[in-house]
Amino acid sequence: MYQFNYVKAKSLKEAGRLLASHGEAKLVAGGMTLIPTLKMRLARPSHLVDITQLAELQGIKLKAGRLEVGAATRHHQVAASAVVRKAIPALAQLASVIGDPQVRNRGTLGGSVANNDPAADYPAAVLGLGATIVTTQREIAADDFFQGMFATALKDGEIIVRVVFPVAKRAAYAKFAHPASGYAMTAVFVAQTGDGVRVAVTGAGPGVFRWKKAEAALAKSPKAAALDGVALDSSGFNSDIHADAAYRANLVRVMAKRAVAKLGRK
Amino acid sequence: MAKVTLTVNGVKHTRKVEDRALLVNVLREDLGLTGTHIGCDTSQCGCCTVTLDGRAVKSCSVLAVQANGSKVTTIEGLAKNGKLHPVQRAFAECHGLQCGFCTPGMIMATVGMLKDNPNPTEDEIIHGLEGNLCRCTGYINIIKAVKKSAKLMRGRAR
């Protein structure tokens, strides 16, 4: 690991100031992606600004049919939260299958969403539920937030404060985890919301995306069989030693059907 | 450099460490607690698992400065007055180890797991140890040891 200066921010304002005055500064929360990256010398920040402990980033609240989760909330807290389990059980279930227990004890919602790893779990729920990302500067709709591999709408110095999830009528998450890393080879989040059905896919392409043809098919018939024969463009899908694009395309359909079948059981 | 205060196995230590020092390095090199192992250096194997404020973490993926002010328990902190902790006893009695290198991490992960779920099913045990690898592949007896640990812990007067 290269040298850096660690600063524990006392406020979001101070964190913003540090980011603005040091061009090579980076935020750290749980550090479950960043610290392994630093150990491999794949990043060389001048400063690490720790925001995990800031009061503004904590807490899980249900307010007017919307579930607000602070950016520094750790995965195990979401998985175990009685409020989340009651409001959006699929979100708690998703949090309970991220990485491994040690990762869930450290990793945070905001960190996962800001990093936007193409195989991360949370982006599927954020996009699938049509959540809003509240930052220090504005509110960003999930549909505008995720912009492909490790890319988001966040500007330099902008910090995620919380994510606001509309409570869905029904939602489910089906994941085919890589057996060693725990990352999604492909996973699908399906939500039945007030505005219709949303289907978000992670792990298959260069970033999380909505499978809109599947949404249209499910709007007509909310059954797993409705997804048979629905077109899926796999031209940009990932091909690697674990699975080629065609295999992932098949997994998308299988995981989507499993998620829809789980919906029906609730 | 940063000044870091940790309460490790009930004893308060203050050390000056590099900002980039990992918790595992401070435990092993500054405090001499070499029971916490480094197996992979890539955050996968779980040999370096300790509890940080009661929750299992991989100490190779936490900066020592991030743990400032926290309570850390390592494998050395489990036995009390020469008496093994129930999880240690169960691992010994069920032979939940082969070479023993992953064992401190397995035991600390088990301690963390049983705190959340005192009576895990076999599936929950397997899921709960996903962050720990045994290169000897001695998982069958490790799972038996976790089941026995749970039984011993439940029977223990608290």
Side-chain angles (χ1 to χ4, degrees):
Chain A
M1 214 183 306
Y2 294 113
Q3 292 279 11
F4 53 78
N5 294 301
Y6 172 91
V7 190
K8 200 167 191 169
K10 288 179 195 72
S11 66
L12 272 177
K13 240 187 183 159
E14 190 198 1
R17 220 171 28 236
L18 285 162
L19 290 176
S21 53
H22 303 284
E24 299 297 314
K26 259 194 163 308
L27 295 173
V28 64
M32 292 294 96
T33 301
L34 182 58
I35 292 171
T37 306
L38 294 176
K39 285 165 69 176
M40 290 193 283
R41 293 192 165 184
L42 293 173
R44 190 173 196 166
S46 63
H47 292 72
L48 282 194
V49 181
D50 196 338
I51 54 170
T52 326
Q53 70 293 339
L54 296 179
E56 301 101 305
L57 308 185
Q58 317 299 326
I60 298 173
K61 286 192 287 256
L62 190 62
K63 243 165 71 181
R66 303 186 337 151
L67 182 70
E68 301 191 359
V69 184
T73 309
R74 301 191 195 272
H75 308 327
H76 83 87
Q77 292 174 312
V78 171
S81 159
V83 177
V84 179
R85 288 165 94 144
K86 184 145 189 274
I88 312 177
L91 184 62
Q93 189 264 326
L94 174 146
S96 78
V97 296
I98 298 173
D100 57 45
Q102 290 95 325
V103 166
R104 293 192 290 274
N105 283 339
R106 296 289 296 165
T108 65
L109 169 64
S112 167
V113 171
N115 191 46
N116 191 20
D117 188 296
D121 296 276
Y122 266 132
V126 172
L127 187 63
L129 289 162
T132 303
I133 292 98
V134 180
T135 75
T136 43
Q137 300 176 13
R138 59 195 164 133
E139 299 193 354
I140 310 170
D143 284 308
D144 304 321
F145 184 85
F146 299 106
Q147 303 186 347
M149 196 175 286
F150 298 110
T152 68
L154 289 172
K155 294 188 211 136
D156 285 346
E158 188 172 13
I159 303 170
I160 300 178
V161 179
R162 60 183 171 274
V163 178
V164 181
F165 298 92
V167 173
K169 284 181 196 149
R170 298 187 300 171
Y173 184 60
K175 174 180 182 180
F176 191 96
H178 185 280
S181 72
Y183 273 106
M185 297 254 288
T186 286
V188 177
F189 196 98
V190 177
Q192 215 168 24
T193 70
D195 308 328
V197 182
R198 290 171 70 102
V199 178
V201 179
T202 188
V208 67
F209 67 92
R210 280 171 70 187
W211 184 14
K212 291 196 178 170
K213 290 199 167 110
E215 295 177 357
L218 291 169
K220 279 189 216 134
S221 162
K223 293 196 179 81
L227 296 175
D228 289 324
V230 175
L232 173 66
D233 177 13
S234 62
S235 53
F237 278 15
N238 308 326
S239 271
D240 53 34
I241 56 165
H242 310 303
D244 63 16
Y247 189 92
R248 279 192 162 86
N250 185 62
L251 270 185
V252 170
R253 195 180 308 275
V254 174
M255 289 303 116
K257 289 173 82 166
R258 283 189 193 169
V260 173
K262 270 206 224 177
L263 277 182
R265 285 204 296 273
K266 266 201 209 95
Chain B
M1 298 291 275
K3 199 171 105 178
V4 170
T5 300
L6 302 168
T7 303
V8 182
N9 303 329
V11 182
K12 212 171 196 181
H13 300 271
T14 300
R15 292 286 188 281
K16 267 192 108 173
V17 302
E18 280 193 299
D19 290 20
R20 63 178 172 174
L22 296 166
L23 178 59
V24 69
N25 294 125
V26 172
L27 293 172
R28 288 177 56 87
E29 289 157 29
D30 294 83
L31 304 181
L33 295 168
T34 52
T36 302
H37 293 167
I38 300 174
C40 70
D41 240 348
T42 52
S43 315
Q44 288 161 320
C45 78
C47 284
C48 64
T49 301
V50 300
T51 63
L52 182 63
D53 294 325
R55 303 207 66 88
V57 302
K58 294 181 185 177
S59 59
C60 79
S61 302
V62 178
L63 298 171
V65 281
Q66 287 180 298
N68 188 24
S70 298
K71 287 194 178 87
V72 179
T73 303
T74 70
I75 189 76
E76 290 93 341
L78 290 185
K80 293 272 181 286
N81 306 317
K83 221 180 135 200
L84 290 180
H85 184 279
V87 178
Q88 291 175 304
R89 204 181 115 197
F91 269 73
E93 287 176 7
C94 298
H95 199 66
L97 59 136
Q98 288 186 31
C99 82
F101 193 86
C102 71
T103 314
M106 288 285 178
I107 288 177
M108 297 313 293
T110 302
V111 168
M113 182 196 325
L114 296 179
K115 202 175 156 196
D116 282 350
N117 183 359
N119 190 14
T121 63
E122 185 157 319
D123 264 4
E124 287 166 344
I125 292 170
I126 292 168
H127 191 49
L129 290 178
E130 269 171 359
N132 295 73
L133 302 179
C134 166
R135 281 302 305 267
C136 308
T137 70
Y139 293 106
I140 302 291
N141 283 357
I142 290 172
I143 292 164
K144 275 190 205 160
V146 177
K147 284 184 189 164
K148 176 137 198 193
S149 301
K151 212 170 146 193
L152 292 175
M153 298 274 288
R154 286 198 306 274
R156 190 166 72 153
R158 266 185 273 185

